[in-house]
């Protein structure tokens, strides 16, 4: 698992993880604009286009068709346990390599445990789990072959508002070796909350 580190200069994100000042991944938040930031964002955009994901606007909740496909493929069973999550990922995300799958399952299990400690019911945990799995499949499946590689894939997420569930998934992907830029076009009020 990778940890979030601070970049000495923004262009450090274009280096392989092993060549960075600190070994880890980056989560940049951009809340202001200048020509210099615009040039850097374009370079990052191109890197994400080649090997990553570009998202504009908030990630929509899974629609009925997506939920039906999930249920047909995965069934209705749910257990907030690492072994269950790992087994489900093997079936749901076959292009995710085994090492990343184990780490992702562990990280998602820890997130569900945190929700339990916050008093969230198993039903709420299941709903969040299914939402994250659908987003993983429908929005981020393209990243799967690149996770865990030294040349970190990129996510560019432009949004006027970000939800807690979106942040959960972005943090999980960051811990799997993905650099992330959150371009906040209105303000960072939602992120701060």
């Amino acid at each position: 698992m990778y940890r979030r580190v601070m970049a000495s200069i923004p262009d450090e994100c274009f280096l392989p993880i092993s060549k960075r000042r600190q070994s880890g991944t980056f989560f940049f938040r951009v809340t202001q604009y200048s020509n210099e930031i615009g040039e850097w964002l374009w370079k990052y955009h191109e890197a994400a286009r080649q090997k990553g994901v570009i998202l504009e606007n908030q990630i929509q909740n899974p629609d009925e068709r997506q939920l039906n496909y999930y249920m047909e493929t995965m069934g209705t069973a749910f257990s907030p346990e690492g072994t269950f999550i790992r087994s489900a990922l093997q079936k749901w995300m076959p292009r995710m390599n085994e090492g990343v799958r184990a780490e992702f399952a562990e990280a998602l299990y820890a997130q569900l445990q945190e929700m339990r400690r916050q008093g969230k019911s198993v039903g709420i945990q299941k709903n969040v789990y299914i939402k994250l799995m659908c987003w993983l499949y429908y929005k981020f499946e393209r990243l799967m072959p690149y996770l865990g590689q030294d040349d970190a894939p990129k996510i560019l997420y432009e949004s006027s508002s970000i939800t807690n569930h979106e942040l959960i998934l972005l943090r999980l992907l960051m811990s799997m070796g993905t650099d992330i830029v959150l371009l906040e076009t209105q303000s960072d009020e939602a992120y701060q909350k």
Side-chain angles (χ1 to χ4, degrees):
M1 239 186 270
Y2 294 92
R3 62 186 176 89
R4 179 183 179 186
V5 296
M6 300 300 288
S8 56
I9 57 169
D11 277 353
E12 191 175 358
C13 73
F14 301 117
L15 295 174
I17 293 172
S18 62
K19 302 264 192 242
R20 296 175 180 180
R21 188 174 51 89
Q22 298 177 56
S23 182
T25 54
F26 301 115
F27 190 117
F28 295 99
R29 287 178 41 241
V30 179
T31 59
Q32 298 178 359
Y33 186 83
S34 70
N35 288 338
E36 183 181 2
I37 290 171
E39 290 173 17
W40 180 82
L41 280 172
W42 181 251
K43 187 175 176 182
Y44 191 92
H45 174 276
E46 290 304 292
R49 188 177 59 75
Q50 291 173 11
K51 186 177 172 183
V53 173
I54 299 170
L55 299 167
E56 297 173 354
N57 301 317
Q58 195 166 27
I59 305 172
Q60 298 301 308
N61 285 330
D63 62 28
E64 188 175 338
R65 180 186 57 80
Q66 293 169 340
L67 291 172
N68 285 340
Y69 180 70
Y70 176 84
M71 294 300 179
E72 288 171 14
T73 305
M74 303 301 291
T76 59
F78 171 73
S79 174
E81 300 297 327
T83 53
F84 173 84
I85 296 167
R86 189 173 178 173
S87 176
L89 284 168
Q90 187 170 8
K91 184 175 183 180
W92 187 243
M93 302 302 298
R95 294 191 331 146
M96 183 184 275
N97 79 49
E98 185 56 38
V100 171
R101 184 178 298 122
E103 289 180 355
F104 193 91
E106 181 182 321
L108 182 50
Y109 168 72
Q111 182 61 53
L112 294 173
Q113 291 303 299
E114 179 59 31
M115 291 175 69
R116 185 184 58 78
R117 284 189 290 280
Q118 293 171 354
K120 306 294 185 204
S121 69
V122 173
I124 291 173
Q125 292 175 54
K126 179 180 180 179
N127 289 341
V128 170
Y129 167 81
I130 291 171
K131 179 190 283 189
L132 297 178
M133 292 290 272
C134 285
W135 284 349
L136 197 60
Y137 183 85
Y138 288 104
K139 297 293 184 183
F140 298 98
E141 201 283 332
R142 180 175 185 229
L143 294 176
M144 294 310 112
Y146 306 121
L147 294 178
Q149 292 185 3
D150 194 37
D151 185 18
K154 311 288 185 233
I155 295 174
L156 175 60
Y157 182 24
E158 178 186 341
S159 179
S160 59
S161 178
I162 189 163
T163 68
N164 187 43
H165 295 158
E166 290 170 315
L167 280 172
I168 288 170
L169 185 57
L170 291 176
R171 280 194 310 263
L172 290 170
L173 290 169
M174 185 184 66
S175 71
M176 297 302 111
T178 303
D179 291 325
I180 298 169
V181 169
L182 174 59
L183 178 57
E184 297 173 295
T185 55
Q186 303 280 325
S187 74
D188 66 346
E189 188 175 315
Y191 178 86
Q192 294 296 334
K193 187 171 103 176

